[in-house]
Amino acid sequence: MTTMRAAVLRKWNDLAVEQIPIPDPAPGEVLLRVRACGLCGTDLKMVSGAFQERGWPPKLPFVIGHEWSGEVVALGEGLDDLELQPGDKVVAENHVGCGRCPMCRRGRYNLCEKAGTPGYRLYGHTAPGALAEYAVRPAQMLHKLPESIGPLEGALVNQGSLGVHALRRVEFLPGSTAAVFGPGLLGLLTAAVASASGAARIIMVGRGSRLDLALKMGCDEVVDYEKEDPVAAVKRLTAGRGVDYVFDCTGNPNVPAQAIGALRRGGRAAILGLTGGKRSEIDVDRLTLDEIDVMGIRSSPNAYPAMIALMRSGKVDVSPLITQVYPLEAVGEALAALESRDAVRPIVEI
Ligand SMILES: [Zn+2]
Ligand SMILES: [Zn+2]
């Protein structure tokens, strides 16, 4: 067999399942059978062409998909001493840095200075994604999954790892308070990781039925921003002081100002969403006078093993988040469910 089924983006807003060649693993690469692939807001924007200027994707046709899990099929040349064997279940990181620039050498390969050159790849964005039966990846981007983590759960490791990276960046301390804005998959997993990391109290800001899911994922309080001003609500819940940390998981340009408004003096804000180029207005005097730290969070360098360990131990249970699963042929339906907010994370089983 030399071809595989794949969801191919041939023109904007048109994802069609068709047969394309199975990729060959180059030296140092591994051929993988994809088992499950989640679809996120970035995928929606890519399908619509909203990230064209950024070069995501660089050209059409293109295969998207960057939140996935799979199984090792075959090893390329030069991997004789690799610990992975055919049949092993794995997840794959997407940022492949050059390995040589100052950022890569500090372990911050998500900020590789060669971004935009052939030495750098961001799979599912600038290099082929995983919404297909097979994919190839450099061996160093793979992490083995234990037997207890199934393929659908494995597809959530990517977003959970982003939460792990955010908590590390803000130097999250046990016993502290946090507010998470945006109960999408990323916000819910960030809350769950914060809970597992010793948060004393987590407040989720959002709306609708996803707030019920937030309570299942370790949040202590929820604020419906359609019913109450979120900054006033967080202040009310924290004796007027504000929380120690905020995590903006919305990608909405109006939210950073609210998130910063909900912080106590000396608090830290992590911004995890992309607005698609829109600008935000924030109160700069407040940053200075109250020594507020604002941090951007990009991807999840070195964080996959921690997320896998949290899931394996049961400290983070992702099962309430797996609600909508689609076959590859229904990828259009999966995207529509995401767009209409019906699904927190539609997962395509392949
Ligand atoms: Zn994503
Ligand atoms: Zn680099």
Side-chain angles (χ1 to χ4, degrees):
M1 208 176 63
T2 55
T3 65
M4 64 175 180
R5 287 179 307 135
V8 182
L9 183 63
R10 290 219 172 260
K11 49 184 201 263
W12 306 122
N13 290 311
D14 186 9
L15 211 50
V17 177
E18 49 188 74
Q19 292 283 330
I20 61 171
I22 295 175
D24 263 334
E29 288 185 342
V30 177
L31 177 67
L32 303 140
R33 176 70 172 83
V34 179
R35 290 295 174 198
C37 183
L39 292 169
C40 76
T42 300
D43 294 313
L44 264 184
K45 290 189 181 116
M46 285 174 62
V47 168
S48 74
F51 283 137
Q52 264 181 88
E53 266 178 43
R54 195 183 290 278
W56 298 355
K59 61 178 173 12
L60 300 182
F62 190 76
V63 175
I64 59 166
H66 58 272
E67 301 182 9
W68 64 285
S69 70
E71 203 174 300
V72 173
V73 175
L75 308 180
E77 277 173 45
L79 293 177
D80 297 339
D81 59 349
L82 191 70
E83 282 177 25
L84 292 172
Q85 298 298 325
D88 283 349
K89 313 281 186 297
V90 292
V91 285
E93 294 187 53
N94 297 305
H95 275 268
V96 181
C98 71
R100 292 183 292 275
C101 77
M103 282 295 115
C104 283
R105 290 174 72 160
R106 281 186 218 174
R108 302 185 74 177
Y109 49 90
N110 56 326
L111 306 179
C112 175
E113 292 178 359
K114 299 287 183 202
T117 71
Y120 169 90
R121 271 162 288 168
L122 180 50
Y123 285 94
H125 299 70
T126 68
L131 210 48
E133 285 182 292
Y134 293 89
V136 292
R137 293 292 181 270
Q140 74 268 27
M141 307 321 291
L142 302 176
H143 299 276
K144 190 172 171 176
L145 285 179
E147 281 303 319
S148 61
I149 299 180
L152 298 172
E153 294 155 313
L156 303 182
V157 168
N158 172 283
Q159 292 290 283
S161 303
L162 202 62
V164 168
H165 180 48
L167 283 154
R168 287 176 176 170
R169 286 266 290 149
V170 300
E171 296 172 327
F172 192 85
L173 296 175
S176 49
T177 55
V180 180
F181 285 70
L185 182 71
L186 179 56
L188 292 164
L189 284 171
T190 299
V193 175
S195 175
S197 304
R201 199 157 178 219
I202 305 169
I203 303 165
M204 176 64 80
V205 179
R207 68 180 165 104
S209 61
R210 293 186 182 186
L211 294 178
D212 301 331
L213 211 42
L215 294 170
K216 281 192 202 152
M217 296 306 293
C219 293
D220 302 284
E221 318 265 1
V222 293
V223 170
D224 186 332
Y225 67 78
E226 288 184 328
K227 295 186 180 143
E228 195 177 2
D229 172 68
V231 176
V234 172
K235 289 275 176 72
R236 174 176 59 74
L237 293 167
T238 52
R241 187 171 284 127
V243 286
D244 300 315
Y245 303 94
V246 289
F247 298 90
D248 173 8
C249 301
T250 67
N252 178 332
N254 299 319
V255 171
Q258 291 174 1
I260 290 165
L263 275 178
R264 69 154 164 79
R265 304 190 84 185
R268 290 195 164 169
I271 312 291
L272 293 91
L274 282 177
T275 66
K278 298 197 184 83
R279 301 210 164 232
S280 294
E281 217 167 86
I282 54 171
D283 179 354
V284 178
D285 285 355
R286 168 118 216 271
L287 303 191
T288 307
L289 295 173
D290 287 350
E291 292 201 342
I292 301 290
D293 299 323
V294 181
M295 298 180 177
I297 311 297
R298 178 175 199 179
S299 192
S300 48
N302 312 302
Y304 271 52
M307 187 61 204
I308 294 168
L310 285 170
M311 287 165 67
R312 173 188 218 158
S313 69
K315 296 222 162 44
V316 171
D317 174 13
V318 301
S319 58
L321 301 171
I322 300 170
T323 54
Q324 266 140 312
V325 181
Y326 299 81
L328 184 61
E329 282 64 29
V331 66
E333 262 175 65
L335 275 177
L338 184 67
E339 197 156 23
S340 65
R341 287 175 46 95
D342 276 354
V344 169
R345 185 58 99 242
I347 302 176
V348 177
E349 207 167 17
I350 302 172

